[in-house]
Amino acid sequence: MRIQPYILILFFSLPLLSCSPAIPPASLQLADIKMNLDGPAHVITAMAISQDGTLLLTAEKSLTAGGAAQNPGSKTEPGKPAVRLWDLVNGRQLSTFVISDLQAIASVSISPDGRYALIGGTPLVNHAGLGLWDLSLGSRIKTLPVQKNAVFCTAFSPDGTVLMATHGRAVSLFNAESGALQQQFDAGYQAYLFAPPIHLVAAFTPDGRYILTGGTDAALKLWDVESGKRIQSFVGHERGRQGGITGIAISSDNQFAFTSAASDTSVRLWEIATGKQLGRFSGVNNFRLGAWGTALSPDNASGFVAAMPPAVWDLASGKPITPLRWDRPKTAGLAQEKPPTALFHPNGKSLVLFADDAAVRLFDPATGRMQAMLVGFADGEWIVITSEGYYNGSEKGARYLTTGGNGSSYPVELFSDVFYRPDIVMATLKGEDTRNLATMTMSEAVHHPPPTVDFAATPGTTDQEKITICYQVNSTGGGIGEVRLFHNGKLIQSDGFYRDIVKWPSANQPLMAMNGAAIYAQMRSVSSQAKENIAPQASGQKGVSFADCTKVATVAGENEVGITAFNSANTVESSMKTVKFHAQHLPETPHLYILAIGIDKYREKAVNLKYAAKDAGDIEQKLGRQAATVYPSDNIHYELLVNDKADKASIENKISSLSALIKPEDSFILFAAGHGILLQNQYYMLTSNYDGTLREANTINSNDIVNISKKIKSLNQLFIFDACHAGGVDAIVGGLYDARMSVLAKKMGLHIYASASSVQEALDGYQGNGLFTHTLLDGLNNKEEADSNHDRTVSLAELGDFSRRRTTAIAKNIGYQQTPLIINYGKDNPVYKMQ
């Protein structure tokens, strides 16, 4: 194993004074938004950032055994510490895995190439306290001998060839390739009378030649890596009952070290070459609780001091420039607050911090403004949320974090229509100020609470083909906006409210210029307008109480009708209320309707494609043949609209004719291949009559897609969009596209496959089709890999998962990045049976 070099700046976390697990505080503060943890979460004990800033690794103190319910497939366990790997570019959790042979994790480090982690802590009996782990697999690849002592500090050498760990008074160095011990020396520190057990901290110098250590007697020592000989001492830090050295950060140019001590009332700068003290900075209240760590900015101009209060300091003037303020948790069992642990992001635009609870917080080091928070839950769920409330998260992560006001609390999930925005999360994690991308914050939205919803009495059984459902909506102070009604999870009725109202550009807008940069600039332009100019369209006036009834076509067997409603600003959704009944009439044999749309020839010839029409025809034929293993052949119906037959009017007319035929028990599949764009936060598919100027008459937008789904009475619907994006897909387009498609699927209660492909991929194609369509056709070809549960039937979810995996792998092999978005909100029904 060869790990590439990089410049190492290390800051070591506070000592673990106890190995007993603890439950984190029940609340978190994110800027001015109060958040509550409603799911089981772990206390963070250590963290590391990769050299390129793309990965964050956090270590977690476990809950007590039985303290958390575990989801199937979870990689955390009650009573076991774990680590969690985060993607700091896209703002999402990548994986979690249990460190089963440790009681507690004290330190984690990431290799220079980002492939491995060195993890150390307090071992279980007859186990070692240090291991090397493969981050992509989540598995231990080496156990390193440290005489069963607890490991406190870990690090990779700058060139990645040496592993370092401190345990007791010893520093051990291991060969990264073989795991063999190649050097060990006693750092010679003595425990100080009455002092707590502050352990040995250490850091490589960026040239890899030396290690600087600090221990309980408050002295710093410089050691030669090759010989293990001490070559320099740095004396000056004060000793006392609090303990010794707590933090060492070394400048990237090897010139100086920035250090702290628990009993000292100051932090200090040292010249590495001579051991000379260059500076001594006294903190507010003389660091009344001591200084518990340091970190250096990438440009070596400023440093973080973990004291009370924590702050970023200017090293030239020796003055604190940025205090960091938030609702800090109290340390369990201690009378005083525990100072936080922090690292500078390699881009210098964020300070990444944790403070004895379940959250990692990002701050702007120049202003002290909190940027975002990452929270992982014990069952593997997660959420990343900006200070304005925009978030990316797993399905339950958005339920587990709640916010509220005036005595009420709401899961973040209820804000998803407006605040689920992975693109804004990504921009925030890059260090951008995203406040002007939004016209509302979650703290503003929460002061307009959602209404309550309920049903009138409904019979438990019926023999009717239609049943009347009556419901009541009552304002709780925030008014009443859009009301949504669902049948077996699928949207069947809403009152036509749509949040994003587009002002069409009057002039020809070059489609190929609609790349991420253009979309991002447009978002900023729109958001910077006065709020009243882009305010959401109001739903019909409903007053403070609203009642209505609707007829619902029943399906044989169990039926469930759900209702949810928004506040008058349509920013916060109520929890769903459901009612169930059993329909006793005989089931009808279901039909399958397939509508395939493919457009590769537009009136604006400059945007013509190559494979879209062929893709539509191939999918229709293959789906129809394979579906004959599930549906009677006479019950499978095909409709194909390509090129000049696929203008907007023709598509709408076809939907209207199908809606008169399709019944709730039938299935409906819509396949659409062509150009797709994002404009002012809405998704649009261009119809064949696009002539270079975007207008309602030549686009099918998100609102139209919702109406299509509502018109089609089928409760089993799949929408497939193999729509390339003019200008290509980048991070901003991808994140916004994911958000809009996910909100659409959730709103409609159906399955969506979305290719998120770029123009180049669509033009080049893959073996005669668009790449995503190629993998769908492959998944319809009796592939054993598509039948993931081996029941000889390929379901909607299985087909989507197979296509996602295959598309991603093929794209990587041919030098592209393409990861389809597969969203499953509907019931998982069979597509075909294996032959």
Side-chain angles (χ1 to χ4, degrees):
M1 177 183 69
R2 175 72 181 180
I3 303 171
Q4 298 301 313
Y6 79 114
I7 300 300
L8 184 68
I9 299 175
L10 290 178
F11 167 61
F12 299 100
S13 55
L14 304 179
L16 293 175
L17 303 181
S18 170
C19 293
S20 59
I23 303 296
S27 65
L28 303 167
Q29 189 74 20
L30 176 63
D32 59 343
I33 307 173
K34 191 75 170 181
M35 295 287 179
N36 297 307
L37 289 173
D38 286 351
H42 288 177
V43 175
I44 297 171
T45 61
M47 70 177 177
I49 300 176
S50 64
Q51 177 268 336
D52 60 5
T54 62
L55 299 174
L56 171 70
L57 187 67
T58 57
E60 302 175 349
K61 183 187 297 184
S62 172
L63 297 171
T64 55
Q70 300 299 302
N71 281 351
S74 169
K75 291 189 177 182
T76 61
E77 299 175 15
K80 301 288 187 182
V83 294
R84 194 177 301 259
L85 186 64
W86 299 88
D87 178 346
L88 278 184
V89 176
N90 296 302
R92 59 183 299 110
Q93 178 184 291
L94 296 175
S95 60
T96 63
F97 45 97
V98 173
I99 312 299
S100 58
D101 51 4
L102 294 181
Q103 294 181 42
I105 301 169
S107 179
V108 293
S109 302
I110 300 176
S111 64
D113 63 0
R115 297 174 59 191
Y116 305 100
L118 189 60
I119 300 172
T122 305
L124 297 171
V125 176
N126 297 324
H127 288 79
L130 184 66
L132 187 67
W133 290 71
D134 185 309
L135 287 176
S136 64
L137 301 176
S139 60
R140 180 190 288 267
I141 56 176
K142 283 185 178 64
T143 297
L144 303 166
V146 287
Q147 292 81 48
K148 299 179 183 177
N149 287 331
V151 170
F152 179 68
C153 170
T154 63
F156 287 84
S157 65
D159 66 358
T161 62
V162 179
L163 312 175
M164 184 264 287
T166 70
H167 47 103
R169 303 192 331 177
V171 177
S172 293
L173 303 176
F174 303 89
N175 181 280
E177 183 68 34
S178 66
L181 180 68
Q182 63 184 41
Q183 185 65 258
Q184 187 176 79
F185 54 88
D186 188 333
Y189 292 99
Q190 302 297 324
Y192 187 61
L193 188 61
F194 303 122
I198 306 299
H199 299 283
L200 184 63
V201 296
F204 281 101
T205 56
D207 60 11
R209 296 175 60 191
Y210 308 105
I211 291 174
L212 185 60
T213 64
T216 51
D217 59 5
L220 292 150
K221 301 171 186 178
L222 191 68
W223 305 83
D224 183 86
V225 169
E226 187 172 345
S227 67
K229 302 295 184 183
R230 186 174 68 180
I231 60 173
Q232 188 67 264
S233 294
F234 304 72
V235 179
H237 272 299
E238 298 171 11
R239 295 172 54 175
R241 288 192 176 185
Q242 288 285 99
I245 303 297
T246 54
I248 298 174
I250 302 176
S251 65
S252 57
D253 59 6
N254 283 292
Q255 296 301 303
F256 68 90
F258 185 43
T259 63
S260 63
S263 291
D264 210 337
T265 59
S266 63
V267 290
R268 305 181 187 233
L269 291 173
W270 308 88
E271 187 175 53
I272 296 288
T274 64
K276 176 183 176 182
Q277 183 173 293
L278 300 175
R280 178 179 181 276
F281 308 150
S282 295
V284 179
N285 298 325
N286 290 323
F287 294 143
R288 56 187 174 84
L289 297 180
W292 287 83
T294 55
L296 282 171
S297 62
D299 62 3
N300 303 316
S302 57
F304 169 78
V305 180
M308 301 305 293
V312 176
W313 288 62
D314 177 68
L315 299 186
S317 66
K319 301 294 184 183
I321 54 175
T322 312
L324 306 177
R325 304 188 188 283
W326 74 100
D327 185 19
R328 292 187 295 273
K330 299 287 185 181
T331 303
L334 298 180
Q336 303 287 354
E337 294 172 328
K338 183 178 180 180
T341 297
L343 294 165
F344 279 90
H345 191 286
N347 66 16
K349 296 180 180 180
S350 297
L351 187 72
V352 185
L353 175 151
F354 73 87
D356 226 29
D357 61 13
V360 173
R361 297 169 175 83
L362 274 68
F363 290 86
D364 182 340
T367 65
R369 185 180 74 87
M370 195 184 297
Q371 299 164 316
M373 186 166 68
L374 297 80
V375 184
F377 298 94
D379 57 2
E381 305 288 339
W382 57 274
I383 189 168
V384 182
I385 185 166
T386 74
S387 57
E388 293 76 43
Y390 295 89
Y391 75 93
N392 189 13
S394 60
E395 180 182 355
K396 288 187 179 179
R399 301 177 193 172
Y400 284 167
L401 201 62
T402 62
T403 186
N406 303 320
S408 298
S409 183
Y410 309 103
V412 168
E413 180 186 38
L414 299 184
F415 299 79
S416 63
D417 270 45
V418 179
F419 290 92
Y420 176 65
R421 291 292 297 274
D423 57 308
I424 292 181
V425 170
M426 283 188 283
T428 301
L429 294 182
K430 287 171 60 179
E432 297 182 19
D433 187 345
T434 57
R435 285 176 289 182
N436 66 344
L437 286 179
T439 56
M440 176 170 289
T441 68
M442 194 174 287
S443 60
E444 293 170 339
V446 81
H447 287 95
H448 303 278
T452 60
V453 294
D454 207 352
F455 288 99
T458 302
T461 59
T462 181
D463 57 4
Q464 301 299 309
E465 292 188 356
K466 289 188 177 182
I467 186 172
T468 299
I469 300 289
C470 296
Y471 55 87
Q472 179 88 21
V473 185
N474 294 304
S475 172
T476 60
I480 302 173
E482 181 184 9
V483 178
R484 296 176 181 170
L485 204 65
F486 297 82
H487 184 191
N488 288 2
K490 188 261 177 186
L491 181 70
I492 59 171
Q493 180 178 301
S494 61
D495 59 358
F497 167 83
Y498 300 110
R499 183 164 296 96
D500 299 311
I501 307 302
V502 168
K503 296 178 181 178
W504 293 99
S506 57
N508 183 309
Q509 187 160 358
L511 197 59
M512 294 304 180
M514 293 301 296
N515 57 18
I519 290 170
Y520 200 36
Q522 177 201 76
M523 286 161 56
R524 288 188 179 277
S525 173
V526 170
S527 296
S528 64
Q529 299 175 34
K531 288 186 179 182
E532 58 268 21
N533 292 335
I534 54 172
Q537 175 181 322
S539 300
Q541 295 299 315
K542 301 183 178 73
V544 296
S545 183
F546 175 73
D548 200 3
C549 296
T550 189
K551 285 191 177 295
V552 174
T554 64
V555 294
E558 292 300 320
N559 291 253
E560 180 182 81
V561 177
I563 186 172
T564 183
F566 285 79
N567 60 4
S568 60
N570 289 283
T571 54
V572 190
E573 186 180 12
S574 71
S575 297
M576 183 177 288
K577 186 81 172 180
T578 60
V579 62
K580 294 182 179 181
F581 60 90
H582 186 86
Q584 296 178 325
H585 58 76
L586 294 175
E588 294 188 28
T589 304
H591 290 240
L592 170 65
Y593 293 84
I594 304 168
L595 174 58
I597 301 169
I599 308 168
D600 48 35
K601 292 181 173 57
Y602 295 86
R603 289 185 188 174
E604 173 54 69
K605 294 181 174 55
V607 300
N608 281 351
L609 298 171
K610 191 172 182 179
Y611 293 109
K614 182 177 184 296
D615 286 347
D618 289 350
I619 282 288
E620 183 191 49
Q621 291 181 27
K622 192 70 171 180
L623 265 175
R625 284 199 300 269
Q626 290 294 70
T629 60
V630 176
Y631 301 87
S633 296
D634 291 343
N635 287 18
I636 301 173
H637 312 277
Y638 314 84
E639 299 288 349
L640 180 65
L641 299 177
V642 299
N643 294 329
D644 60 344
K645 298 285 195 291
D647 61 286
K648 184 168 184 177
S650 298
I651 293 171
E652 288 181 334
N653 289 337
K654 182 58 65 177
I655 292 295
S656 294
S657 63
L658 287 172
S659 67
L661 301 172
I662 299 176
K663 297 179 180 180
E665 60 269 18
D666 295 332
S667 296
F668 174 67
I669 297 176
L670 171 68
F671 175 89
H675 270 302
I677 63 169
L678 290 161
L679 184 64
Q680 295 182 17
N681 299 349
Q682 274 218 76
Y683 174 71
Y684 295 81
M685 192 183 79
L686 304 189
T687 55
S688 63
N689 55 318
Y690 169 72
D691 57 4
T693 300
L694 296 168
R695 54 173 66 93
E696 281 191 58
N698 58 31
T699 59
I700 292 177
N701 62 33
S702 303
N703 302 341
D704 297 324
I705 293 169
V706 172
N707 279 330
I708 289 171
S709 179
K710 285 194 299 184
K711 278 186 177 181
I712 300 296
K713 298 299 187 290
S714 164
L715 301 183
N716 177 32
Q717 297 187 17
L718 167 65
F719 282 25
I720 305 173
F721 298 100
D722 193 357
C724 63
H725 284 268
V729 171
D730 58 16
I732 293 297
V733 173
L736 182 56
Y737 183 75
D738 284 7
R740 295 305 90 200
M741 285 298 182
S742 295
V743 168
L744 266 181
K746 179 175 180 286
K747 177 188 297 186
M748 295 186 289
L750 48 75
H751 302 265
I752 287 183
Y753 301 170
S755 68
S757 61
S758 73
V759 167
Q760 187 62 49
E761 288 157 341
L763 288 174
D764 287 349
Y766 187 81
Q767 297 185 8
N769 290 103
L771 176 57
F772 181 55
T773 297
H774 167 82
T775 63
L776 281 173
L777 291 168
D778 199 27
L780 291 167
N781 201 32
N782 296 299
K783 289 280 185 177
E784 294 290 341
E785 307 97 290
D787 180 23
S788 58
N789 65 0
H790 309 295
D791 65 351
R792 307 302 296 169
T793 299
V794 176
S795 70
L796 289 168
E798 286 176 317
L799 177 62
D801 183 61
F802 172 84
S803 299
R804 178 186 56 78
R805 288 185 282 109
R806 288 286 294 148
T807 301
T808 303
I810 293 173
K812 184 177 180 180
N813 287 339
I814 62 177
Y816 289 107
Q817 271 194 328
Q818 183 179 343
T819 303
L821 185 67
I822 308 299
I823 316 158
N824 298 298
Y825 277 104
K827 182 181 177 182
D828 189 18
N829 287 310
V831 179
Y832 70 94
K833 293 182 179 181
M834 300 280 287
Q835 296 175 314

